[in-house]
Amino acid sequence: MRCRELLKRLEELAPAEYACDWDNPGFLAGRADKEIHKVFVALDATDEAVDQAIEEKADLLLTHHPLIFKALKKVNDEDFVSRRILRMIQADLCYVAMHTNFDSAPGCMADLAAERLGLLAEAPLEVTGEKDGMLFGIGKVGCLWKAMTVKELAGLVKERFGLPFVTVYGMEQIKGPVSRAAVSPGAGGSMIAHGLAKGAEVLITGDIGHHSGIDAAAQGMAVIDAGHYGLEHIFMSFMKEYLEKLPGADLQVIMEEKRMPVQVI
């Protein structure tokens, strides 16, 4: 299967029109006519991911986060971003990112996270568009499969996402059982207002700052910060399975080993 054909299949899963205006997903480097037999899937196009994809002789690197967010004025080995692009081009490695289009698309990031938590999702947490009468957007909000304390829910998040730790705001303020929750994988500071507006008692997300966390708790909503990587690493296993089952593609898919980029000492 040529790269351009695979791009069409990925577009069927998570259309580019679903992406936020500020985002830059899609076909970011390489040859559209290249034959794709082996795909390397990672969350980020780090030096390690690019190196491993090249070592594995992959034809295409697929990540969730785009390496290129703003225009590159130079492509050389003096900047860490352009250096990675240069290495990919030298290795004839195609590069594709699926970011907020994957976050928003039905059956993708938000639904996967909600399903893993047993959240009976009712609607997108932040509606970003509508297609064929269906609302799509970032995150999900709904009811937990059973009422539980914030501490119990934090333990469930750790278990279901395979995490060594989470941080929690609001355990002192929200002491009783909670039943309505929201989940928004990635950076969730901007999702606090949406969670409060949708009546969520807990928001499960990542990258929460001190003031955002304590302010949310003061308004009656706990926040479980599972980390940006902590919730979004599910992209890798989902895409590996999706690509391996893609009819007529006959792809070998290698997934980067899951490893938390942050440690607590």
Side-chain angles (χ1 to χ4, degrees):
M1 175 178 286
R2 295 191 184 276
C3 182
R4 64 168 56 90
E5 297 171 51
L6 181 55
L7 291 171
K8 290 179 182 178
R9 307 293 280 275
L10 295 176
E11 178 76 8
E12 293 170 3
L13 173 67
E17 66 189 89
Y18 283 19
C20 296
D21 293 340
W22 52 263
D23 199 10
N24 188 41
F27 183 37
L28 301 184
R31 296 187 296 113
D33 64 347
K34 181 177 174 64
E35 283 284 348
I36 307 298
H37 301 286
K38 185 184 290 189
V39 178
F40 188 84
V41 180
L43 197 69
D44 298 280
T46 59
D47 287 325
E48 293 79 9
V50 172
D51 288 345
Q52 190 175 350
I54 293 172
E55 289 170 9
E56 295 283 358
K57 299 188 182 338
D59 302 300
L60 184 142
L61 170 63
L62 174 64
T63 68
H64 180 49
H65 300 127
L67 177 60
I68 304 172
F69 268 110
K70 58 184 179 180
L72 294 175
K73 295 185 178 181
K74 298 178 181 179
V75 179
N76 55 41
D77 63 355
E78 296 180 349
D79 170 78
F80 77 98
V81 172
S82 63
R83 183 164 56 243
R84 293 173 193 171
I85 296 296
L86 184 61
R87 291 207 64 230
M88 289 186 224
I89 293 172
Q90 288 177 321
D92 196 18
L93 176 67
C94 293
Y95 174 47
V96 177
M98 299 172 70
H99 193 209
T100 53
N101 53 323
F102 185 84
D103 288 336
S104 303
C108 293
M109 187 71 83
D111 285 326
L112 293 171
E115 181 181 350
R116 189 169 286 214
L117 290 170
L119 180 66
L120 305 175
E122 299 170 357
L125 181 57
E126 178 189 7
V127 176
T128 56
E130 179 180 353
K131 185 174 183 179
D132 301 328
M134 178 182 293
L135 298 175
F136 61 86
I138 306 297
K140 289 288 181 178
V141 62
C143 293
L144 296 167
W145 56 282
K146 72 169 186 176
M148 62 186 78
T149 65
V150 174
K151 185 175 182 179
E152 289 170 336
L153 181 55
L156 181 69
V157 172
K158 284 178 59 178
E159 175 196 337
R160 295 290 171 86
F161 286 86
L163 305 177
F165 67 90
V166 297
T167 56
V168 185
Y169 295 91
M171 280 205 331
E172 294 181 353
Q173 291 89 339
I174 296 89
K175 297 181 179 180
V178 296
S179 58
R180 186 166 177 80
V183 60
S184 183
S190 64
M191 306 306 289
I192 288 175
H194 295 285
L196 289 167
K198 296 285 176 66
E201 298 168 282
V202 185
L203 170 64
I204 302 148
T205 188
D207 292 356
I208 294 298
H210 168 78
H211 292 290
S212 297
I214 63 173
D215 289 351
Q219 295 174 82
M221 184 177 72
V223 179
I224 298 172
D225 187 339
H228 200 125
Y229 185 96
L231 295 179
E232 288 194 329
H233 68 77
I234 58 177
F235 167 83
M236 296 189 292
S237 55
F238 174 85
M239 287 309 306
K240 183 177 189 299
E241 183 177 354
Y242 177 83
L243 290 170
E244 287 175 338
K245 293 182 178 179
L246 205 57
D250 192 25
L251 296 171
Q252 179 183 354
V253 184
I254 301 169
M255 186 179 81
E256 184 178 38
E257 183 180 350
K258 179 187 151 194
R259 54 173 179 265
M260 293 288 289
V262 60
Q263 288 82 37
V264 175
I265 305 300

